[in-house]
Amino acid sequence: MSAPASRQSVPETLDAWRQVTARRGFEGRVPLASLQRLASLLEAPDGDAVFSLDFDRDSLGVPYVEVRVEAELPLVCQRTLERFLLPVHIDQRMGLIRDEADEAGLTPGYEPLLVDPSGELETLALVEDELILAVPVVPVKPGTDAVEREWGDGPAVEAERPNPFAALAALKNKPE
């Protein structure tokens, strides 16, 4: 990897294919508030995400970008309704493909990343996408006890109740 770029020198867009050829890497820090799609999922977009992007080819010649992201996402626990910080550690290798049909040729364990034929890749959008995928559908603060509740009398009582249609069945079978 080349010398890491400072936050100011991480380009908003870059040519993924040129970065693979040059085997370049970038490091940066981005405020969570600047990631608008992610910010709408958070309790308050406080804090930063630290990320690195490393471009290269594997031993089979498959171009990839290694995405690493560290952040603490402020969420609201759906059990306790309290704010908590969810630690997120992403280390994802993404195989760069030009066409959806190329996905079949990826090495197992790679996530496909469809890159525009021009090679243009939005660096912060890639980081934001990975953080959005890390947000749980139902945020629950680690360590909270599950809320358990019995509904009704349970299935055992249901089996004991007579079937209300049993009388109709008896009428149907009664000779005229």
Side-chain angles (χ1 to χ4, degrees):
M1 179 173 117
S2 64
S6 68
R7 181 173 177 250
Q8 291 77 24
S9 65
V10 174
E12 287 184 27
T13 61
L14 49 82
D15 184 336
W17 306 118
R18 290 179 66 186
Q19 303 313 315
V20 167
T21 302
R23 301 179 60 193
R24 294 222 36 215
F26 298 93
E27 290 184 354
R29 177 180 296 270
V30 61
L32 295 177
S34 69
L35 304 174
Q36 294 177 352
R37 293 179 296 136
L38 175 67
S40 68
L41 302 174
L42 304 177
E43 188 271 331
D46 302 329
D48 294 337
V50 178
F51 67 93
S52 67
L53 304 173
D54 295 311
F55 294 86
D56 204 349
R57 289 186 184 273
D58 66 9
S59 60
L60 298 174
V62 176
Y64 70 85
V65 59
E66 184 99 27
V67 180
R68 292 185 186 91
V69 185
E70 302 271 335
E72 289 189 334
L73 304 179
L75 301 172
V76 174
C77 175
Q78 297 303 299
R79 285 191 183 140
T80 64
L81 298 180
E82 296 174 347
R83 180 181 195 263
F84 74 100
L85 294 175
L86 177 70
V88 174
H89 308 284
I90 298 167
D91 189 357
Q92 181 67 51
R93 187 172 278 194
M94 306 181 88
L96 304 176
I97 57 174
R98 289 184 167 97
D99 187 68
E100 290 179 15
D102 297 338
E103 183 178 347
L106 287 178
T107 306
Y110 281 29
E111 286 294 319
L113 179 60
L114 186 61
V115 178
D116 186 79
S118 69
E120 186 175 304
L121 182 66
E122 294 182 26
T123 54
L124 294 183
L126 179 58
V127 171
E128 184 176 23
D129 288 345
E130 290 301 306
L131 286 170
I132 288 171
L133 290 172
V135 175
V137 174
V138 179
V140 177
K141 183 178 180 179
T144 57
D145 293 329
V147 177
E148 295 188 24
R149 180 175 178 180
E150 291 185 27
W151 295 94
D153 295 330
V157 175
E158 286 291 326
E160 295 173 8
R161 292 185 184 163
N163 185 344
F165 298 104
L168 294 174
L171 289 174
K172 181 179 172 185
N173 294 331
K174 184 177 179 182
E176 293 185 42

